[in-house]
Amino acid sequence: MKILQIVPSISLIYGGPSQMILGLSPALAKAGAEVTILTTNTNGDNGQESLDVPLNKPIQQNGYEIIYFRCAPFRRYKFSIDLLKWLKNNANKFDIAHLHALYSPVISAAAMICRQQNLPYILRPLGTLDPADLQKKKQLKKIYTAVLERDNIAGAAAIHFTSEQEAKVSERFGVKTKDLVIPLGVIPPKVSTEDVRSKFSIPQDKPLILFMSRIDPKKGLELLIAALEKLLNQGFDFHFILAGTNPQDPIYEQKIKSEIESSILKSHTTITGFVTGEIKTGLLKTADLFVLPSYYENFGIAVAEAMVAGTPVVISDQVHIYQQIIDSESGWVGKTSVESIFELLTTALFNLPECQKRGLNAREYALQNFSWDAIAQQIIQAYNQIIRVD
């Protein structure tokens, strides 16, 4: 089976979508599939940064191949005419395409080319069909949907959702779709020799609370900051790590940093920016709690990463894998309110042995349910069903 994975960018700075492709592709290859990733060389949304990679030729790694294309024109939107030309000329060499994004010009155009070339394709919307997400740039999205995306959804062989809740709430614009609900996977972290407490001057006896995700308005950071301030006012002593960035919205990122700088939280906080490698692994393994109080989250790959590292999670019930957290007792789930987050953090910090127990539960559940090898088998089965029908 020859599979195309198409994604606007594979740079890790964009978080979940890139991590998904880099986790799924070797697992598909291990299962016997031939995988080619088409992507651009973009590495930031100000239009200047690019990945230092060869362009327009296959690069072999981990059993699959990646072809990077130059962003041009419209670098900010990760658009590539070269990618689309390559797809048009080579689509007939593949059995199926898996497209990762909606409301992305290069993916919208790729879907149209797949239809023209009779290549069946699956769309993964990345939470963009959530009613809350559709409210952002609402009028523009209405036009975009009418002109492009409704036909792309209607023409898809299937829509790939990563949780039952995402599938339940997602808009289809009156189109009847075949839905696949297949979760994302995580790669168990390697052993880290990074002593993050020493690196960031955090005393050993202080509980470490970690936020590690894109710094975005939907993540509920204002709620978290207010809840943490309330904890300090109640006499709790802890250290907060804010890890992440947002190349698409640097103004909001700076707003959050400024809010912390002018808060009593300042002396209890370390802001790391984007982290990867051993520092990321060290933070995930060292944290006593991982917190993500998002207003909406189609899956929450950062939550799964914390779980597989053995860290209990505190999340809102708008993170769509919340039911799995409840059922596996891998952490605590609350509402998107300051009071709810405060109460959950209080409960956890009052009972650190329970945190450790739930961290063990989290790791066991993640290893059993978020294995890329198992998920790759589900996806290959879905691919085969679509190919046979077509």
Side-chain angles (χ1 to χ4, degrees):
M1 182 189 302
K2 300 191 70 172
I3 303 162
L4 274 179
Q5 303 284 340
I6 309 178
V7 63
S9 175
I10 209 164
S11 169
L12 291 178
I13 200 169
Y14 296 110
S18 300
Q19 294 175 50
M20 186 273 186
I21 300 297
L22 294 174
L24 174 61
S25 296
L28 290 172
K30 182 179 175 182
E34 295 182 45
V35 181
T36 297
I37 299 172
L38 304 185
T39 190
T40 70
N41 67 335
T42 187
N43 192 33
D45 285 340
N46 63 10
Q48 302 302 317
E49 293 88 354
S50 297
L51 295 171
D52 184 14
V53 292
L55 300 177
N56 304 310
K57 63 180 182 180
I59 301 169
Q60 304 293 327
Q61 66 178 52
N62 298 327
Y64 60 94
E65 65 181 21
I66 303 177
I67 307 177
Y68 294 93
F69 297 91
R70 184 170 65 94
C71 274
F74 316 126
R75 285 180 59 89
R76 178 175 175 80
Y77 298 102
K78 310 182 190 73
F79 192 78
S80 174
I81 288 178
D82 288 346
L83 185 155
L84 298 173
K85 286 181 177 177
W86 189 98
L87 177 60
K88 185 174 182 179
N89 291 332
N90 293 276
N92 62 356
K93 299 175 184 177
F94 293 87
D95 298 304
I96 194 166
H98 202 150
L99 279 54
H100 303 269
L102 280 177
Y103 300 103
S104 163
V106 73
I107 297 298
S108 300
M112 294 171 63
I113 291 171
C114 286
R115 289 201 304 279
Q116 292 167 1
Q117 302 298 316
N118 296 314
L119 177 64
Y121 64 92
I122 294 172
L123 281 177
R124 184 166 72 96
L126 311 180
T128 56
L129 297 181
D130 187 301
D133 201 71
L134 288 169
Q135 291 302 308
K136 296 190 297 186
K137 300 180 181 178
K138 183 177 179 180
Q139 295 306 316
L140 179 60
K141 283 185 178 177
K142 278 187 175 181
I143 296 169
Y144 197 116
T145 299
V147 174
L148 292 171
E149 225 61 314
R150 189 179 185 279
D151 285 345
N152 286 336
I153 292 169
I159 309 297
H160 176 191
F161 298 108
T162 52
S163 67
E164 294 287 354
Q165 184 67 7
E166 183 192 8
K168 180 180 178 181
V169 304
S170 289
E171 179 60 68
R172 312 298 202 286
F173 310 110
V175 173
K176 186 175 181 180
T177 60
K178 175 180 172 57
D179 297 343
L180 302 174
V181 179
I182 303 174
L184 301 183
V186 288
I187 301 170
K190 297 177 181 178
V191 175
S192 173
T193 58
E194 188 73 52
D195 183 353
V196 295
R197 285 188 179 270
S198 296
K199 182 178 182 63
F200 297 116
S201 302
I202 304 168
Q204 295 294 328
D205 59 345
K206 279 193 177 186
L208 182 58
I209 299 173
L210 174 65
F211 173 96
M212 182 185 289
S213 191
R214 192 170 72 255
I215 299 177
D216 184 275
K218 80 172 190 175
K219 303 291 182 177
L221 273 165
E222 290 94 344
L223 303 176
L224 177 56
I225 289 170
L228 293 173
E229 290 172 339
K230 191 171 181 179
L231 280 174
L232 289 174
N233 288 327
Q234 293 293 322
F236 284 95
D237 193 14
F238 58 86
H239 198 83
F240 174 52
I241 294 278
L242 176 67
T245 187
N246 190 341
Q248 295 171 305
D249 194 349
I251 294 174
Y252 178 77
E253 181 178 345
Q254 186 55 51
K255 174 179 177 291
I256 290 297
K257 291 178 180 178
S258 299
E259 191 173 333
I260 291 173
E261 283 291 314
S262 61
S263 162
I264 60 170
L265 196 55
K266 177 181 178 180
S267 61
H268 299 262
T269 298
T270 297
I271 300 174
T272 67
F274 177 71
V275 294
T276 188
E278 286 206 4
I279 295 177
K280 177 179 178 178
T281 299
L283 286 171
L284 286 168
K285 284 181 166 289
T286 303
D288 295 284
L289 283 173
F290 176 91
V291 188
L292 188 67
S294 295
Y295 291 106
Y296 59 97
E297 200 82 47
N298 64 298
F299 182 78
I301 190 65
V303 177
E305 287 184 320
M307 292 170 68
V308 81
T311 301
V313 301
V314 171
I315 64 172
S316 74
D317 60 3
Q318 300 306 304
V319 178
H320 288 168
I321 58 169
Y322 77 90
Q323 193 60 53
Q324 290 97 310
I325 305 303
I326 293 171
D327 293 344
S328 62
E329 295 187 344
S330 294
W332 292 267
V333 176
K335 302 295 182 183
T336 49
S337 71
V338 173
E339 191 59 35
S340 179
I341 298 164
F342 167 74
E343 288 177 358
L344 295 181
L345 291 173
T346 300
T347 298
L349 293 175
F350 256 131
N351 193 347
L352 289 179
E354 181 66 17
C355 277
Q356 294 171 356
K357 174 186 171 184
R358 296 195 182 207
L360 293 173
N361 292 344
R363 178 170 171 78
E364 181 180 356
Y365 184 88
L367 287 173
Q368 290 179 359
N369 294 275
F370 301 143
S371 155
W372 271 124
D373 287 344
I375 289 165
Q377 291 296 333
Q378 293 181 57
I379 289 180
I380 285 175
Q381 183 179 9
Y383 289 164
N384 277 321
Q385 289 174 349
I386 289 167
I387 292 167
R388 282 197 297 268
V389 169
D390 283 22

